[in-house]
Amino acid sequence: MQTRSARMPATGRGSPLLLVGFAMLIALYVAQIIANGDTKSFAIFAAFGMLCVLASAIMKDWRFGIPILFVWLALEDLLRKYIGNSMVIYAVKDVLFVIILASYFLDGWKRRSEPFKNPVRVPLLLWFGWAIADSFNSQITNFAVPALGLRMSFLYIPLIYLGYHFFRDETQLKKFSLYMLQMGAVVSVLGIIQSIIGLNFLNPIADDPYLRLRLIRYVPGTKEEILRPTGTFVDAGRFSQYLFVVAFIGLGLLAYLYATQGTKGRKLILLPLTCWMLVLAGIFVSAQRSIIALLAIAFLALIPAYIFSKQGHVRVHNLRPIIRAVLAGSLALVLLYAWFPERFSSVFRFYDLTINPQSQYAEVGNRGSSYWNIIVYSYEQSGMLGHGTGSASLGLQYLYKAVTDSAYAAITHTEGGYAGVLWEWGGVGLALWLWWTCFLVIAMFRKIVILRGTAYYWLGVSILLFTICFLFPLFYLGFQIYQNYVSQAFFYFLIGLFFRLPMLAGRDSKLIAITSRRTAES
């Protein structure tokens, strides 16, 4: 006993000394970075230091890391603007996601009571298997290319499972949705400020050649400039695509709150309503025509969604939540016009002249035909096997500083999602892509039937509309839209949430299916 008691103090003294010594080394390193004015190294050190601090909490509860991941996705580009487009900062989100994923799998024994049968797991696995096999395509000369392609197309697919198990009750659903909506409002406000005072706001003076920080469009027939804001992102397209996702989250949340809170919860609805209006205003000033057109079509699609929702007697209040949300969006545009009439008018003229089919400057028809020609060209060049995984992926510019190969040059400077799939994986890959995307939408329609008559119906419809827009018209416009890590992470996470909604609504899917079939037969 005496020997043991004599050893204990030595151990107790040694451990704090080691910690103090380690802390001093870190402090000296940070002080040297600051003294040298090396902000890039300091930012990288701070980012990974914060990640190490958060890792222990995430390993205890993987749900703790989910909100952090999505906030980081919205803010990461802001750091990249000011520290030279560092790929080290770009990798922080991947490390964070791997930590969350590891914690999720270690926590797997707790989920045995509520297993999730992913309805698209088979087509997704086959698509992934074909991508692995095509990584050894004979046309691949640099094996960093398929590694890049696999990361850009498949990394965030596990978020389907995390999204399903993340939401345990309606309180958690409301908190997370409001959290994302508030974050989107902040990013939107920054973009609105950029579009008004100039693109030098939140954008460094020295542009990186791979960052698109100062995109300017012009009203056709005039020299009137339309500044395309980037917000916290390095690209105006990523800014608008992020707000597009948040807009559907806000639409579903507002409809759910209106359906559950009624007139008693006006104070609770005021904050998300304001945030949603700011998000729509940001989308409008983004000058992204495809996003504006799809959002308008999605709003029109709410009418047949309402007709589909009716069960038995028609109840007008079933439509009130969605009407209020749409009216709030219209009010956002009215206020934007009242406060900034010149900016609103110029952006509106740009939309009208380039989208309106009767305008001589309309680009819809020309764009549609050009994308189809690209698809045909890609098939002719790729056949059934394609050029290999990653050969058309976003991020190739960082592997090939000067693209000399004609095949890479052709696909890098063209657009079109289906063309990109054909180029990488050929006709086989396109068939697998169409299989899993169409199968997913069909499976979601089946779940929507279960949600009819519940407060979660409009939230489910919002996610379904975003899924259709993301996988078909937006994907038709560009493979890079799918590979945009912000939209892709939200997409897969929302898919998991969607398939969780029937359980949150307390519905038995088998019972509902039997009842619906008997009603149809009678």
Side-chain angles (χ1 to χ4, degrees):
M1 294 297 293
Q2 291 180 353
T3 305
R4 183 178 180 181
S5 62
R7 291 176 181 173
M8 289 296 290
T11 305
R13 287 192 301 269
S15 180
L17 287 175
L18 288 175
L19 291 175
V20 170
F22 184 66
M24 290 180 64
L25 289 175
I26 294 177
L28 289 172
Y29 177 69
V30 173
Q32 184 179 3
I33 291 176
I34 296 175
N36 296 333
D38 189 357
T39 56
K40 179 178 179 180
S41 298
F42 180 75
I44 293 173
F45 180 83
F48 277 96
M50 185 179 299
L51 186 61
C52 292
V53 173
L54 295 173
S56 59
I58 294 173
M59 291 305 295
K60 293 179 181 178
D61 183 7
W62 62 269
R63 289 181 176 85
F64 176 76
I66 292 295
I68 297 174
L69 173 65
F70 284 105
V71 169
W72 178 258
L73 291 178
L75 298 179
E76 177 191 273
D77 279 359
L78 191 58
L79 287 177
R80 290 174 58 199
K81 290 181 182 183
Y82 288 95
I83 61 175
N85 194 19
S86 171
M87 288 297 99
V88 178
I89 290 294
Y90 185 88
V92 170
K93 62 179 174 296
D94 294 347
V95 176
L96 176 60
F97 179 61
V98 169
I99 295 173
I100 296 172
L101 203 59
S103 178
Y104 171 81
F105 282 111
L106 290 175
D107 191 49
W109 65 273
K110 296 180 181 180
R111 298 189 300 274
R112 291 176 182 174
S113 59
E114 48 179 19
F116 171 47
K117 294 183 179 180
N118 182 3
V120 291
R121 61 189 181 279
V122 174
L124 272 177
L125 284 173
L126 289 176
W127 175 41
F128 179 67
W130 177 249
I132 292 290
D134 218 15
S135 297
F136 301 94
N137 192 298
S138 60
Q139 299 186 60
I140 295 290
T141 58
N142 183 351
F143 281 96
V145 171
L148 173 68
L150 292 173
R151 180 255 175 263
M152 299 303 296
S153 296
F154 298 98
L155 178 63
Y156 293 114
I157 289 180
L159 279 170
I160 297 178
Y161 296 89
L162 274 66
Y164 181 86
H165 289 109
F166 178 81
F167 299 96
R168 291 173 287 193
D169 52 47
E170 61 174 339
T171 302
Q172 197 168 24
L173 173 62
K174 288 189 290 187
K175 287 183 178 179
F176 179 82
S177 301
L178 183 58
Y179 189 59
M180 292 297 101
L181 188 57
Q182 289 174 316
M183 190 68 213
V186 172
V187 174
S188 180
V189 168
L190 295 176
I192 294 172
I193 294 174
Q194 279 182 330
S195 69
I196 295 171
I197 69 174
L199 296 179
N200 288 331
F201 176 68
L202 284 185
N203 286 326
I205 297 176
D207 286 353
D208 186 281
Y210 298 108
L211 303 184
R212 305 170 66 193
L213 300 179
R214 289 175 174 80
L215 292 180
I216 299 176
R217 285 178 172 170
Y218 297 89
V219 177
T222 69
K223 295 184 179 180
E224 190 174 5
E225 293 184 346
I226 304 294
L227 305 181
R228 295 197 60 197
T230 59
T232 59
F233 297 98
V234 298
D235 182 81
R238 187 172 294 170
F239 169 76
S240 60
Q241 291 161 28
Y242 168 73
L243 293 184
F244 187 65
V245 180
V246 177
F248 283 98
I249 295 176
L251 178 63
L253 175 63
L254 285 175
Y256 173 78
L257 292 176
Y258 277 126
T260 55
Q261 302 294 334
T263 57
K264 297 180 181 180
R266 288 179 179 176
K267 293 183 179 180
L268 297 175
I269 297 175
L270 181 60
L271 177 59
L273 187 64
T274 304
C275 292
W276 197 65
M277 292 169 63
L278 290 172
V279 168
L280 292 185
I283 292 176
F284 180 83
V285 302
S286 69
Q288 186 75 14
R289 291 164 294 191
S290 58
I291 297 296
I292 284 290
L294 287 176
L295 199 58
I297 294 172
F299 284 163
L300 293 176
L302 295 173
I303 298 175
Y306 165 66
I307 297 174
F308 178 75
S309 71
K310 295 190 297 183
Q311 290 181 326
H313 299 288
V314 178
R315 297 182 179 180
V316 177
H317 73 267
N318 290 338
L319 192 57
R320 285 178 184 171
I322 214 69
I323 290 177
R324 290 171 178 170
V326 173
L327 289 177
S330 303
L331 178 60
L333 298 183
V334 172
L335 293 176
L336 187 65
Y337 174 74
W339 291 334
F340 310 105
E342 294 182 1
R343 178 59 55 190
F344 180 93
S345 299
S346 60
V347 175
F348 181 81
R349 284 195 297 272
F350 172 76
Y351 287 137
D352 181 51
L353 291 173
T354 57
I355 296 178
N356 188 349
Q358 298 179 348
S359 171
Q360 61 176 325
Y361 303 104
E363 299 182 16
V364 178
N366 295 333
R367 287 294 186 97
S369 60
S370 64
Y371 288 132
W372 175 253
N373 293 334
I374 294 171
I375 293 175
V376 174
Y377 169 79
S378 296
Y379 180 73
E380 291 174 348
Q381 297 294 318
S382 307
M384 296 302 293
L385 301 181
H387 292 80
T389 300
S391 56
S393 288
L394 187 66
L396 282 179
Q397 67 271 24
Y398 298 107
L399 295 179
Y400 297 93
K401 299 298 183 180
V403 182
T404 56
D405 185 273
S406 59
Y408 284 117
I411 198 64
T412 302
H413 296 93
T414 54
E415 296 178 275
Y418 295 108
V421 171
L422 280 168
W423 192 271
E424 286 203 9
W425 302 302
V428 175
L430 180 61
L432 292 172
W433 172 271
L434 291 173
W435 180 25
W436 88 262
T437 53
C438 294
F439 197 82
L440 172 63
V441 172
I442 293 172
M444 293 178 72
F445 269 110
R446 292 172 178 170
K447 293 295 182 182
I448 284 292
V449 175
I450 299 172
L451 293 173
R452 287 194 302 178
T454 72
Y456 296 93
Y457 174 76
W458 287 114
L459 178 58
V461 168
S462 299
I463 298 175
L464 175 60
L465 289 176
F466 167 70
T467 300
I468 294 174
C469 291
F470 183 72
L471 289 180
F472 296 99
L474 280 179
F475 186 77
Y476 181 78
L477 298 178
F479 193 33
Q480 71 277 7
I481 295 178
Y482 167 78
Q483 291 190 330
N484 171 17
Y485 57 85
V486 179
S487 300
Q488 186 183 128
F490 269 106
F491 165 68
Y492 284 116
F493 190 76
L494 291 177
I495 292 302
L497 166 59
F498 178 88
F499 288 112
R500 182 70 168 182
L501 292 180
M503 183 172 292
L504 293 178
R507 290 301 191 91
D508 186 337
S509 59
K510 293 182 180 180
L511 178 60
I512 293 296
I514 294 173
T515 304
S516 301
R517 186 166 59 250
R518 288 178 178 175
T519 303
E521 291 175 354
S522 62

